[in-house]
Each structure stands twice: as C-alpha cells, then as structure tokens.
Amino acid sequence: MKKDLSWKVGGQQGEGIESTGEILSKTLNRLGFYLYGYRHFSSRIKGGHTNNKIRISTRKVQTVADDLDILLAFDQETIDLNYHELHEKGIIIADTKFKPVKPEDSTVELYPVPFTEIASKLGTSLMKNMVAIGATCAVMDLKIGDFSVVIQEIFGRKGGDMVGKNMEAIQEGYAYMQQSLGEKASALFLAKAENNHKRMFMIGNDAIALGALTAGVRFMPAYPITPASDIMEYLIKKLPRVGGTVIQTEDEIAAVTMAIGTNYAGARSFTASSGPGISLMMEAIGLSGMTETPLVVVDTQRGGPSTGLPTKQEQSDLMAIIYGNHGEIPKVVIAPSTAEEAFYDTIEAFNIADEYQCPVILLSDLQLSLAKQTVETFDFDKVHIRRGKLITSDIEQTEEKDYFKRYEVTEDGISPRVIPGVKGGIHHVTGVEHDETGRPNETAHNRKQQMDKRMRKLSNLTERFPNPITVNVPTKRTNLLLIGFNATRGAIEEAVQRLREEGLNVNHLQIRLIHPFPTAAIKPYIDGADHVLVVESNATGQLANIIKMNVGHVDKIQSMLKYDGDPFQPHYIYDASKELLEHVYINN
Amino acid sequence: MSTSTIKDFRNGVKPNWCPGCGDFSVQAAIQRSAANLNLSPEDLAVISGIGCSGRISGYIRSYGLHGIHGRALPIAQGVKMGNRDLTVVAAGGDGDGFAIGIGHTIHAMRRNMDITYIVMDNQIYGLTKGQTSPRSEDGFITPSTPEGSIEKALSPMEMAITSGASFVAQCFSADIKELTATIEAGIQHKGFSIINVYSPCVTYNKVNTYDWFKENLTKLSDIEGYDASNREMAMNTLMKHNSLVTGVVYQEMKPSYQELVKGYAKRPLAHMNLELQPKLFDELVNEFV
Ligand SMILES: Cc1ncc(C[n+]2csc(CCOP(=O)(O)OP(=O)(O)O)c2C)c(N)n1
Ligand code: SF4
C-alpha cells in the first residue's frame, strides 16, 4: 500500500487534461488525502504538450514529487517527454488509439487501454477522460462510487443522463484496467486516508484573492499577465457581491495608479502582476511611498528577464522588488511560502499598508501561485482589519482655512491620514518634496525632516511582524542550515526530514518578511550554523546576497541555485546537502 | 446649505508660474465654477499630472493629489471608484495627457467615468524648458527640434470624439467667461468630460501667443445652427476650422461607467464596512472544499 503516490496526466493543450486532474484531485481531497498538483503548460493556447502532475499522500505534502508512479497518456508525445520521471516500478496507461510504444531503454510497464473506443461506444469520445479516470481507480484501488458526488456537481447541471453516462465510462475504464492488471494489481494500491475534517484544495492565487476580499478590498484594477491573472479573474466574480468591481485597465501603470487613487480616497484597493508588469509599476510605487498612500501590489514571479519563461518557475525579481525604485522610500516585502500563509499574509499586507502608510509588496512565485494544494480551511476568527491612523469622519477645524497637517512630523513617523470628503481635513498630497501640510518645500531642513519621518516608520516593523521567519526546529546550533523563500519551503522541508532521519544535523529557515530584513531573528541561526546553503530559483543568488549584506558571514554562505524553469524537487536539495555534509564531515 | 464663494477655494499659495502664463486663468476658472456650482471644497478632489500645469492641484483649496507624469487620469479614476460622491477633476499639460499619458486619455474616454479632465494645452513642454510637444505644429522649432518638428500635431478634439468621450470641449484661457461656463457644464455632465484649454506659455512658445489665438480661434456659439449633439456636424466643423474652435464641440447623453458597472455600490466604497459577513466567508471557503 502506497502512502505517497504520484500521478501525471498528459496530452495536447485543450484536450481536457486539466479537467481529468481536477476530477481526480477534487475527489481525493474530499476523501482526506493531501494533494499537491503542478501543471506544466506552455505559452501556446491550443495544441502543444501539457501535463498535470498530482501528488497524493496520506500526510501533508507541500511540493512536487521526486518521481512518478503512474503516467496517463493521451498521446505518444506525453510518453516520450515524461517517461523518464517514472521510477522502476512505475506504469504508463495509454490510449490504444495512438498505438502507444514504450521507449526502448525503459523498464516501465505499458498498459494500453482503449479510452477513446470505450467512450465512443458509450456515446462520445469526449468521455475518454472518464475512462482514464476509471483506469486510474483500478490501479490505485479507489472506489468508483466516491466519484459520483463530484461528477454530479460537474455534469448534473447539463441535464439528460450526463451523470449516468460519465459514471458508466468510469466503470468501464475500471473494469478494463482491472483485467489487464491481473496478478500485479496491488503494487500501486493507495493506502486509506484518515478523513478527520474538511480541507480546501486551491492554488496560491486563490488564497491571495480570497485574502484580499477578506481584508476588505472592494476594487481591483489590473492588467492580465501569467501567472497573476487568476487573482483578478476570481475577484471579478466575487467583488460585485460586496459592492465592488474589477477594472481591466489599459496597462499596469494605469492599474497601479488607479489603485493608488482608490486608496487615497479611503477604500482598499490593490493590483497584481508579474515581472514585466512590476517593472512598469516602479515609478508609481515610488509615488505611494512619497505621498504615504497605502498600496498593496502582488508580484507573482515568473521566469525572466524580459518575457523570459512566462509559464515557468523562477524567483528572480527579489532585488528589483526591494531596490528597483528610484530614490528611497519605506517599503515592505512579504513572501509567503504556502497557500495558507498567502491568505493570512495578504490580509496582513493590507493592514501594514494602512498602518504604515507605505507600499507593501506581496511576493509570490509561479509555483506558489499556480500549484494546487490541500489547505486547512481558513480561520475567520484570525482575521482582523487594522487601518491605523485613518480619519474618515469630520474633524473640527482649529484655524479657519488652514491646511490639515497630513505629513505631521511624529515620533513614530506615521502621520494621521484623512480622506477626501472629510470636513476640516483639507490638505494637498504630492510626490514633490513637501512640508507637513503637503505644500511643496525644497528647503534642506524640511527635506531632511520629512525624509527622516518617512524612513522612521518602519523601524519597529521586523519586531511587530507576526512571523518574520519560519524555522523547522528552534535549535540554533547546526552543521547545515538551509534557507529559502516562497515556494521552496516544501522541497527543503522534505529534504531536511530525510537528512535528519539519517542522523544528520540539519535545520531549515524560511524567510517570510523579506524587507525590511529581519536580521535579528535570522542572525543567531546563521551564527550557530557551520554551513549555510541558500536555496533559490535564480542564477545569481539574490537572497544569499541579501543575507550576506545584512548578516555578514560572507564565507559561510553558499548558494544552491536552479533556474531551468522547473521547481526544486526534494531529492535535488537532499543530494546537494548530503554531498556538502559528506565532503566536510565524513571525508575529513 | 451653505453657499460657497470663490474665496473658499483659495489657499493662499502663490503659484510659481511665469507672470502671464495661461494657467492662472485655468486655476481661477476652476475655482469660480466650483463656487458657482456651490460645491464644498471638501467634496472636490483635483488630481494633477506633472508639468508647470500639474502644479495646479496645489493652488486650489480642495482635496488634491499631484501625482506622476502622465498618470493624472488613472489616479483620478481610482479616486472616483473609491468615492463616487466626490467631484473629481483631473488636470495637466498637453505633454502629460497627449504624449506620456495618451493611452490613459483614450481609455478614460471610452470608459466614460464621471470625471472632468482639463488639459492646459500650450503646445510645448514648459517645465522641462521648451521642448516640442505632440501638440506642436509641424515646423515648430524647439531645443529638441532645432530643424523644425517633422511630426504632425495631434488633434485632441477629433480624437476625443472618436474615442467615445461624451463631453468634448475646447476653450481659450483668455476667455475666462466661456472657460468657466464650460468647466461648470463639464462637471455637471454625467460621464467623462474633456476640456482642452489653449493656455499660452509666454516663456517658451513664441508662435502660439495670445494674439495668435485671438486671430485664429472661432467660437462655436458664433456659428449659426451649431448643434453639439450632432457628431457629424462636430467632426465637419473641426475639420473646416483646423480644430481652432472654442465651446462645447460634442456632447452625448449616455450612462456613465459608474451607472453601468454591475454590482457596484451606490454608496462610496470608502465609507463601507470592510468586514465580510461570516456567512459569505464560509460560503467562499466551501467552494474550495
Ligand atoms: C516619467 C517622466 N518623464 C519625464 C519627466 C520630465 N517632465 C516633467 S514635465 C514634462 C513635460 C511637461 O509638459 P506638459 O505636460 O505639456 O506640461 P507644461 O509644463 O507645459 O504645463 C516632462 C517631460 C517626468 N517628470 N517624468
Ligand atoms: S514656462 Fe510656460 S507653461 Fe510654464 S509657467 Fe512659464 S509660461 Fe507657464
């Protein structure tokens, strides 16, 4: 019985690959399994190979699997491109229609099943996916009946006997496969999951969008870009229910400046984009910093530079996000690692933006944003909305016609903020250096005073931020400390667990608050480690450089880099860590 | 209800414009029309771009935001989305609105949000010391076009009509009476209004001077039978006069963006409760189970 199993379905884009994975995973999620699905897709819309790899486990998993147990192929290309991921005992299930052949050098077993033929006999070849699901059930020893609820949800609305027909297709696929498997049947049987409570199954972008809605966002201006678009697409469906809306703007500059306008007006608004779009927004992010207008921008990193690898994983916007503005502004960068963190961090991002009156970047990456994972249901009781020094009702005017001191020099650097429409609060807001009332003022004294005021606001943020880092074990002495941010967390955690099981002294630290850098929280762990390996998806070791800059230990810190567009797999990190440890502790 | 006067919209800040700059009258006209419409200064938000003209938001006593070059319009639209009860006026130069920000200008017109956009058109870049603008006539000599500009001047009025703007007007800053009346009409118009104002730059533009405009402009109100609701007549008149006309060129009554968008609250978003109903939250969470 397998406690951890990975399954991949592949074919031509637009062939229903996604829905096949969707039906299987939705059902398994409800049965109590933990899932992690990662789609490989290209920039082509129709045609072109696509696949959906789903990891199914009885325990929590938060990253892609090392290898593959079952490959479900709708064409030969799927076999040719993916068979190498199968381990020795893995199997290929393929439609007989394309006369599948197994690569010569491969030891894996091939099971041809007449997907299309069975489906056509039942009425339409479109149901070949259901036949394939049936075949999967037989291999994993799942009960067909478990699928009926999901099938009902999807096809019930279509009327007629669609539900019955689809269930029949699953049944036929199951029967056919069971017969061909015969003796060898039990090798890939899936252990039962302990189904104790309901969990969600969602992509990181869903979590961010729901987080924004929960944080009180009522308007989102945005310009489409992979892998951020799902956030706006989710919100356009939901915002009208709470009186809000989404505008698809003419470009990213319009999106971010519109969001600034709405925040200035006192409502919560934000935008989301990826690398190229974020570059366009930089000037406006500076405006938010200088005018002290709260702003949240989501950057879901993808492969760069330029249009780079638009559908692939990378974490290479880090330096640009932190240092990409001209001039100097207070700015916060938060990088959640899981969909669950993404939800709570999005809400925190809005609270920080309001409290500190500055731009907050919620950094994600393609893997976190698009991988579909099992998530504990969000806890509404943990949601708190904090708006800081915001004034929304009329104030008494001290002196007739005087301006409100919007940029009052205060000890904590944060000034009371009053929104347009409020009586007694008139003031001017400008990106030009200004005095306490917002009137342009270029004198050296005023410049220094206002600059210091703005820079002062974030001085207590690293202490106030709820979880600036996540550490695997609280011990600070370790032979090897692995550090990562965003979606690398799951892979590092698994690698660390395996190394620990072998008796090696390894720890893991994931950075959640990237800027301002939580040096005080991180430094003791780096001080106490013999070796530090920074795991990140880029070619230049951006996070490693930021750590060196803030913490020192330049000689101790090494990088483990990956920039081929694919996520880190646990074994990749395991192997490299092991090699490093063996080299140092065993050979010497 | 209190009645406002022009004094309510004065903040005592001395503009840093050159003496004689056309922008002074534009400022005065905005202040006067706001008073004539009996707006309260707190309910007006003036959002401006960058340029000499962009400074205008700092000289009017109201809420105001002086943003970045070319982005007055998206900021202004964001403000309106956040609080539909505010009167939102966007303002900037011809470089701001027709060079760096032209994409926003065209899309704001098609979007038809209920805001008023005032362009101070001096056919040159003032703040950066006199380079050519997309409104400069061909042959125009500036430090950036020493041999004379070889590009055609853009025509905002025709562009506005074809882009779907529902209130299209042009004024001359020296005719403060017509300018004030037009801004009032623009603010009252439900939908996007664009008012292009010939606002001479006395320092850098030695061609398109006050005298030049006085000689070349035709008032639409002087054209017998001119009908601003007639799109064809508007286009023909613009072509006939090389766009050198003043007054309301075109006006069309159609629902504004705010009226059309489904589900958008009738109250200002800025004053709505941010918290989700727990029942709705549960429902949203359950969609992922
Ligand atoms: C992104 C950016 N590019 C360039 C500038 C420099 N700049 C400031 S104002 C301006 C043009 C001003 O011309 P216009 O909008 O016609 O306004 P005017 O000064 O004539 O009123 C330029 C190019 C800037 N501030 N920002
Ligand atoms: S440079 Fe021209 S546009 Fe600028 S203030 Fe002077 S006259 Fe006006």
Side-chain angles (χ1 to χ4, degrees):
Chain A
M1 294 265 231
K2 303 271 285 181
K3 288 191 163 156
D4 202 325
L5 196 145
S6 76
W7 174 92
K8 185 186 250 189
V9 57
Q12 291 292 300
Q13 218 146 254
E15 227 187 355
I17 303 307
E18 225 185 311
S19 65
T20 314
E22 186 68 24
I23 292 167
L24 180 73
S25 42
K26 206 159 189 163
T27 304
L28 290 171
N29 186 60
R30 292 192 191 169
L31 289 173
F33 290 98
Y34 287 91
L35 304 167
Y36 192 92
Y38 188 77
R39 266 181 75 208
H40 165 98
F41 62 109
S42 61
S43 302
R44 276 168 67 185
I45 303 309
K46 208 146 182 140
H49 174 72
T50 178
N51 65 57
N52 191 354
K53 186 172 174 178
I54 298 169
R55 187 170 177 194
I56 308 149
S57 181
T58 54
R59 65 191 170 93
K60 196 166 179 168
V61 281
Q62 299 201 88
T63 195
V64 292
D66 281 334
D67 50 24
L68 197 57
D69 293 291
I70 303 162
L71 177 64
L72 201 62
F74 284 111
D75 57 13
Q76 186 61 39
E77 197 184 0
T78 298
I79 300 178
D80 298 340
L81 289 174
N82 298 287
Y83 78 93
H84 64 273
E85 279 184 38
L86 287 156
H87 58 71
E88 285 169 357
K89 291 191 180 127
I91 64 165
I92 300 171
I93 311 172
D95 195 350
T96 46
K97 192 183 168 207
F98 66 89
K99 300 193 182 67
V101 285
K102 187 175 85 167
E104 269 171 32
D105 59 335
S106 172
T107 57
V108 301
E109 203 86 46
L110 171 72
Y111 294 94
V113 177
F115 295 156
T116 311
E117 201 187 310
I118 294 176
S120 301
K121 267 196 209 139
L122 289 172
T124 163
S125 63
L126 287 174
M127 289 192 306
K128 65 183 178 185
N129 298 8
M130 299 300 144
V131 182
I133 287 175
T136 301
C137 286
V139 181
M140 296 186 190
D141 192 30
L142 296 169
K143 285 207 240 30
I144 288 166
D146 289 337
F147 285 80
S148 60
V149 181
V150 172
I151 297 293
Q152 175 71 40
E153 281 172 13
I154 297 174
F155 300 102
R157 257 176 285 131
K158 301 200 172 146
D161 190 28
M162 285 304 285
V163 175
K165 279 242 174 341
N166 278 282
M167 287 305 292
E168 211 177 319
I170 296 181
Q171 171 62 44
E172 296 256 324
Y174 182 89
Y176 189 97
M177 190 69 208
Q178 211 182 24
Q179 261 188 354
S180 5
L181 273 177
E183 301 280 281
K184 283 179 276 182
S186 66
L188 295 173
F189 280 7
L190 188 59
K192 296 284 161 286
E194 280 169 38
N195 186 14
N196 39 15
H197 62 286
K198 71 173 188 190
R199 297 192 193 92
M200 298 179 292
F201 183 53
M202 57 171 27
I203 58 172
N205 279 344
D206 291 332
I208 293 169
L210 185 53
L213 191 62
T214 311
V217 162
R218 295 296 175 265
F219 175 52
M220 180 189 196
Y223 193 77
I225 187 168
T226 304
S229 306
D230 317 74
I231 300 172
M232 71 184 281
E233 286 171 15
Y234 177 85
L235 286 171
I236 189 56
K237 282 185 266 165
K238 306 298 178 196
L239 276 174
R241 298 189 59 177
V242 291
T245 192
V246 167
I247 289 183
Q248 180 179 325
T249 54
E250 54 274 22
D251 57 32
E252 286 85 353
I253 298 174
V256 69
T257 45
M258 243 185 231
I260 290 174
T262 308
N263 287 340
Y264 163 69
R268 274 189 173 177
S269 176
F270 81 125
T271 191
S273 190
S274 187
I278 298 292
S279 294
L280 289 179
M281 292 181 191
M282 280 300 176
E283 186 195 12
I285 292 171
L287 177 72
S288 150
M290 184 60 157
T291 58
E292 310 193 39
T293 310
L295 173 70
V296 174
V297 174
V298 178
D299 175 17
T300 55
Q301 301 171 89
R302 64 184 212 182
S306 187
T307 317
L309 296 172
T311 63
K312 304 269 188 163
Q313 165 70 353
E314 203 166 275
Q315 304 176 312
S316 52
D317 294 354
L318 198 56
M319 286 290 182
I321 277 292
I322 301 174
Y323 304 110
N325 289 100
H326 66 279
E328 295 161 310
I329 51 165
K331 187 204 280 173
V332 180
V333 182
I334 307 172
S337 288
T338 62
E340 193 172 355
E341 288 183 2
F343 173 77
Y344 294 109
D345 285 356
T346 301
I347 296 166
E348 190 61 22
F350 284 97
N351 286 338
I352 290 175
D354 260 344
E355 284 184 312
Y356 292 88
Q357 303 174 8
C358 72
V360 179
I361 313 293
L362 187 89
L363 195 61
S364 178
D365 56 24
L366 183 135
Q367 188 186 346
L368 168 60
S369 274
L370 296 189
K372 207 160 181 176
Q373 50 187 287
T374 299
V375 184
E376 297 301 330
T377 50
F378 300 139
D379 184 355
F380 194 55
D381 292 338
K382 279 197 203 158
V383 175
H384 303 288
I385 290 173
R386 311 187 305 266
R387 303 216 64 189
K389 299 184 188 177
L390 180 71
I391 302 168
T392 55
S393 41
D394 296 351
I395 39 185
E396 211 161 312
Q397 251 166 309
T398 40
E399 244 172 277
E400 186 70 17
K401 292 205 174 166
D402 203 11
Y403 266 23
F404 180 83
K405 282 194 180 175
R406 168 69 188 92
Y407 301 109
E408 188 182 339
V409 177
T410 56
E411 208 172 309
D412 61 5
I414 301 157
S415 322
R417 176 164 81 100
V418 52
I419 62 168
V422 168
K423 309 280 177 249
I426 287 187
H427 63 274
H428 187 233
V429 166
T430 174
V432 169
E433 189 57 274
H434 44 261
D435 67 14
E436 287 186 293
T437 65
R439 291 177 174 97
N441 185 327
E442 295 187 344
T443 63
H445 172 74
N446 176 74
R447 161 67 172 183
K448 183 156 186 317
Q449 204 180 35
Q450 284 292 322
M451 195 72 183
D452 288 344
K453 177 196 109 67
R454 287 189 294 270
M455 291 304 154
R456 200 156 59 228
K457 6 175 154 170
L458 292 179
S459 54
N460 71 352
L461 184 85
T462 50
E463 294 105 74
R464 275 199 59 201
F465 191 82
N467 306 288
I469 58 168
T470 320
V471 277
N472 206 328
V473 284
T475 46
K476 286 168 183 133
R477 272 239 45 89
T478 178
N479 291 145
L480 175 66
L481 175 67
L482 293 164
I483 302 182
F485 76 108
N486 276 153
T488 52
R489 175 165 159 180
I492 303 177
E493 254 171 23
E494 275 185 48
V496 165
Q497 195 183 332
R498 282 186 226 172
L499 293 162
R500 283 244 189 80
E501 278 161 14
E502 293 177 22
L504 296 164
N505 180 0
V506 184
N507 202 359
H508 166 211
L509 184 158
Q510 196 76 1
I511 305 182
R512 193 159 164 180
L513 175 65
I514 299 264
H515 187 82
F517 196 75
T519 309
I522 293 172
K523 194 167 181 300
Y525 290 96
I526 295 184
D527 287 344
D530 299 333
H531 297 273
V532 176
L533 204 49
V534 183
V535 179
E536 53 187 317
S537 296
N538 59 55
T540 55
Q542 299 188 24
L543 181 64
N545 285 329
I546 290 165
I547 298 172
K548 287 175 190 169
M549 193 174 99
N550 287 285
V551 184
H553 289 299
V554 173
D555 299 333
K556 198 194 278 189
I557 296 168
Q558 296 180 50
S559 285
M560 185 191 301
L561 307 174
K562 196 168 191 295
Y563 40 89
D564 58 2
D566 291 329
F568 274 100
Q569 289 165 313
H571 77 86
Y572 192 96
I573 300 169
Y574 167 87
D575 291 345
S577 307
K578 186 117 192 230
E579 198 182 318
L580 188 145
L581 288 169
E582 268 169 6
H583 180 69
V584 180
Y585 296 100
I586 302 171
N587 295 350
N588 289 355
Chain B
M1 209 175 108
S2 66
T3 40
S4 30
T5 69
I6 189 162
K7 280 200 210 120
D8 294 326
F9 294 90
R10 291 192 182 134
N11 66 2
V13 178
K14 194 176 165 292
N16 64 354
W17 292 320
C18 311
C21 174
D23 296 352
F24 282 103
S25 321
V26 178
Q27 178 200 335
I30 294 175
Q31 288 165 321
R32 186 167 296 283
S33 45
N36 289 352
L37 291 171
N38 209 13
L39 293 176
S40 101
E42 285 91 349
D43 294 329
L44 173 67
V46 179
I47 312 300
S48 61
I50 297 294
C52 295
S53 47
R55 289 278 179 146
I56 199 161
S57 62
Y59 306 146
I60 295 172
R61 187 173 169 274
S62 70
Y63 281 96
L65 194 154
H66 176 216
I68 44 179
H69 195 28
R71 319 302 167 195
L73 276 178
I75 297 174
Q77 292 170 83
V79 174
K80 188 71 184 178
M81 289 305 292
N83 188 343
R84 62 189 300 164
D85 285 357
L86 293 172
T87 297
V88 180
V89 171
D94 50 317
D96 205 63
F98 304 138
I100 189 165
I102 190 164
H104 304 312
T105 304
I106 289 174
H107 290 281
M109 294 190 289
R110 357 181 336 249
R111 212 171 270 134
N112 199 34
M113 257 186 212
D114 188 13
I115 62 179
T116 304
Y117 182 37
I118 299 169
V119 182
M120 283 153 269
D121 180 1
N122 54 13
Q123 291 159 284
I124 202 159
Y125 284 11
L127 193 73
T128 47
K129 302 196 183 319
Q131 300 84 355
T132 188
S133 121
R135 288 283 300 125
S136 309
E137 293 299 336
D138 51 356
F140 197 67
I141 293 175
T142 73
S144 64
T145 50
E147 308 286 335
S149 170
I150 50 170
E151 294 170 10
K152 283 270 169 252
L154 198 139
S155 182
M157 293 294 98
E158 280 102 319
M159 179 183 78
I161 294 171
T162 55
S163 303
S166 53
F167 181 100
V168 181
Q170 191 157 259
C171 293
F172 177 33
S173 77
D175 185 349
I176 190 150
K177 221 174 125 212
E178 188 182 53
L179 178 58
T180 308
T182 309
I183 294 174
E184 272 175 52
I187 291 175
Q188 283 178 307
H189 174 78
K190 296 277 163 250
F192 189 86
S193 13
I194 178 169
I195 304 166
N196 189 61
V197 186
Y198 287 114
S199 177
C201 171
V202 291
T203 305
Y204 297 110
N205 192 335
K206 305 293 184 199
V207 179
N208 310 103
T209 60
Y210 285 99
D211 286 342
W212 186 91
F213 283 114
K214 274 178 197 143
E215 233 164 78
N216 288 284
L217 286 175
T218 303
K219 273 182 149 187
L220 290 171
S221 54
D222 291 344
I223 300 177
E224 213 185 311
Y226 187 78
D227 175 7
S229 70
N230 185 331
R231 198 178 161 114
E232 198 182 339
M233 186 184 280
M235 288 301 262
N236 287 339
T237 309
L238 287 171
M239 275 194 278
K240 190 165 157 222
H241 292 86
N242 194 22
S243 291
L244 287 162
V245 296
T246 63
V248 179
V249 180
Y250 181 65
Q251 184 170 17
E252 180 188 350
M253 300 303 172
K254 60 180 181 186
S256 71
Y257 188 89
Q258 269 71 21
E259 289 169 83
L260 286 176
V261 57
K262 269 216 176 78
Y264 181 57
K266 299 274 179 278
R267 297 176 291 142
L269 297 185
H271 294 293
M272 278 166 51
N273 181 8
L274 298 192
E275 259 154 64
L276 284 189
Q277 292 296 318
K279 210 175 129 251
L280 176 60
F281 182 79
D282 283 345
E283 197 184 306
L284 294 170
V285 161
N286 277 325
E287 285 174 9
F288 292 105
V289 173

